[in-house]
Amino acid sequence: MDVVVVGSCNTDLISYVPRLAKPGETIHGDVFKSGFGGKGANQCVMAARLGASVAMVAKVGNDVFGRSTIENFKENNVDVDHVHVTEKASTGVATILVDGNGQNSIVIVSGANMQLGREDVAKAEQLISCAKVLICQLEIEKKVSLFALQMAKKYNVRTIFNVAPGTASLSKEYFECSDILCVNETEAALLLGLSDIADLEEVEKAVLALQRTCQGRVVLTLGENGVMFSEGQLCSTVKHITVDRVTPVDTTGAGDAFVGAMSYYLSKHPSLPFTEVMKRSSQIATASVLSRGTQTSFPNRKDIPDELFQD
């Protein structure tokens, strides 16, 4: 198995609006769509669409959303042997508003995602032990993500820890188990106790500050400004990869497209320089903002230039 994702599955309920509503205000939307989401599921599907063999470890409710989620995984060639069904909660739901500039506001009801336990991850130990890359996030219980990261490290599996949603408190164990710590500006600010990260100079300082606590690399995504990353603890160099400027239609899931693409390149093209991994992953994430939806906006391999798949 190339990539194993331990994480969340949601059904996305998406409303497209001229602008985001103010508190207490009701506005008319333009279009409504439903789709599949959850950071874990999104990252999983993106890696699979690029050509990685991928398995999901997750939990859904015994409802129409849960059954549809499992079917969607199958249609995207994702192994679902460890996608469990629970009677204790409904499948997770994300209510998403997307404004005329492609920016979004999201409310998540975690539901069955919070029912995923250490015992479910333990059942997937053999699967994880044979993986090339493991991805975790924080849309499930924190302790379950940590358990999965620790298990992967036991078998020398490369780990990507996407600290999303952001949190102000993480024990050092998370950083010790993360070969790649991936955050956006908001998530980095929360981890460092900052009110904001205002410019690229502050982004560089944030990467270096996080690097001092992390044994692996730090990757800080910047949306339309690309990505900034470190070379690891033994090097104080920070690099900045820019992306082509585009007019976004919907930015929902772009960060997940980036993480999923990164896992693909790390597992399928291990000799590729990390700078090139960052560049190609950023290009794929940029492509995902050019159409509406979350997973529906993720490109398939046939739609991506061949040069992005060459060593």
Side-chain angles (χ1 to χ4, degrees), residues 18-214:
R19 59 180 175 80
L20 300 180
K22 299 175 182 177
E25 181 185 20
T26 299
I27 63 174
H28 285 283
D30 302 318
V31 176
F32 171 79
K33 290 187 176 183
S34 62
F36 301 100
K39 289 187 175 298
N42 293 341
Q43 294 163 5
C44 184
V45 167
M46 185 72 260
R49 287 191 182 175
L50 294 176
S53 60
V54 186
M56 187 77 197
V57 180
K59 189 160 282 188
V60 298
N62 186 14
D63 50 41
V64 64
F65 288 162
R67 291 186 287 276
S68 297
T69 293
I70 292 173
E71 188 59 34
N72 178 63
F73 280 139
K74 292 178 179 178
E75 290 175 0
N76 282 281
N77 299 313
V78 173
D79 185 307
V80 296
D81 287 350
H82 292 278
V83 178
H84 304 284
V85 179
T86 180
E87 300 283 352
K88 295 181 179 179
S90 60
T91 300
V93 172
T95 302
I96 303 172
L97 301 179
V98 182
D99 71 13
N101 295 316
Q103 300 303 311
N104 60 62
S105 176
I106 305 174
V107 175
I108 296 172
V109 179
S110 297
N113 292 309
M114 290 303 176
Q115 298 296 319
L116 185 70
R118 289 164 55 109
E119 67 280 4
D120 299 307
V121 176
K123 292 175 183 176
E125 182 167 1
Q126 183 176 0
L127 176 71
I128 292 171
S129 71
C130 298
K132 296 175 183 175
V133 176
L134 175 91
I135 308 175
C136 288
Q137 328 75 26
L138 291 177
E139 285 186 339
I140 59 175
E141 291 281 0
K142 287 182 183 179
K143 62 184 180 182
V144 178
S145 289
L146 178 59
F147 182 69
L149 290 166
Q150 291 172 330
M151 179 182 291
K153 293 308 296 178
K154 181 172 70 172
Y155 294 104
N156 295 315
V157 175
R158 199 167 193 175
T159 56
I160 300 173
F161 181 33
N162 180 207
V163 190
T167 179
S169 60
L170 278 179
S171 65
K172 65 178 182 179
E173 286 83 4
Y174 290 88
F175 300 100
E176 292 171 350
C177 294
S178 302
D179 292 314
I180 297 172
L181 184 81
C182 186
V183 292
N184 64 21
E185 293 157 284
T186 302
E187 293 151 2
L190 277 170
L191 278 175
L192 294 170
L194 304 174
S195 59
D196 191 17
I197 297 177
D199 54 37
L200 291 178
E201 183 178 350
E202 290 189 4
V203 171
E204 182 173 352
K205 291 178 180 178
V207 171
L208 291 173
L210 288 171
Q211 184 62 78
R212 287 192 286 271
T213 66
C214 185

